[in-house]
Amino acid sequence: AAALKEMFRVLVPGGWVQLGEIAVCYAGPVTDRLWKMETALTGSAGGDLNIAEKIPRLLEDTGFINIAIEDRTIPLSGPSVHAQNGRRIALWGVRSLKTAVLRSGGLGFVESEEDFDNLMVALEDEWNGIESAGCDFRIVYAQKPEVAH
C-alpha cells in the first residue's frame, strides 16, 4: 500500500500507472510444489504471492480511477518463440530464489542446494512435457484523477 501511495503522490494529475503480476503458474505436481514453496517464501518475508487479484482494490483504495484489468496467459511449453521466452524468463526467476529458499532452511520443500537444483530440472522437464503449462499474468491500469477528490 505504501508503494501505491507514493506512486499516486508523484504521478501527475490525469497520469496512468501500469502494474503487472503473475497470478498463478500451472502444469503439474512439480509446478504446484514450486508455487507452494514460493508462497511460503513470500509469506516469510511479509509478502503476498496472491497480490495480483488484490491490485485493483488496492488501487481503488489509494484513490486511482478508471481501473482496467487485462489477463493474459504466458505459455511455458511448446516450440513457439513466445513459449521459449516465457519458459526461459520463468526459469530464471525461479532459479534466482535459490539463495533465499536455502537461507530460509528450505521451507520444508528442499533440504539442500542439490535438492533445489533437482527441483529446477524436474520443473523444466514438466514444462517441456505438458502442453498446457503456463502462467496467468494480470496487467492492471489505473489513472490518477485530474482533480483531487
Side-chain angles (χ1 to χ4, degrees):
L4 293 178
K5 288 178 184 174
E6 183 63 9
M7 288 179 207
F8 189 87
R9 184 187 71 78
V10 300
L11 193 61
V12 298
W16 290 80
V17 294
Q18 175 183 323
L19 305 172
E21 287 289 337
I22 295 288
V24 66
C25 293
Y26 44 86
V30 179
T31 303
D32 292 345
R33 182 174 173 211
L34 171 74
W35 193 257
K36 289 175 184 170
M37 183 178 73
E38 287 186 68
T39 300
L41 179 63
T42 304
S44 72
D48 183 355
L49 195 60
N50 298 312
I51 194 69
E53 66 187 46
K54 299 171 185 167
I55 289 175
R57 180 69 165 161
L58 293 169
L59 287 164
E60 183 180 349
D61 291 348
T62 304
F64 285 97
I65 60 171
N66 298 326
I67 298 166
I69 301 167
E70 187 176 326
D71 290 325
R72 296 193 177 190
T73 297
I74 301 167
L76 298 175
S77 64
S80 75
V81 171
H82 191 58
Q84 289 176 18
N85 287 338
R87 186 170 50 251
R88 180 178 48 79
I89 292 166
L91 286 168
W92 173 83
V94 172
R95 286 183 177 120
S96 72
L97 301 175
K98 182 178 188 175
T99 300
V101 168
L102 294 175
R103 284 188 179 162
S104 297
L107 302 161
F109 295 93
V110 296
E111 293 183 13
S112 66
E113 186 172 348
E114 183 179 3
D115 282 351
F116 188 93
D117 292 343
N118 288 337
L119 179 62
M120 295 301 102
V121 169
L123 181 67
E124 189 167 10
D125 287 347
E126 183 172 272
W127 289 355
N128 284 324
I130 296 179
E131 192 173 312
S132 60
C135 290
D136 290 341
F137 190 78
R138 174 164 279 183
I139 304 164
V140 183
Y141 310 91
Q143 185 179 31
K144 181 176 179 176
E146 292 280 348
V147 181
H149 286 102

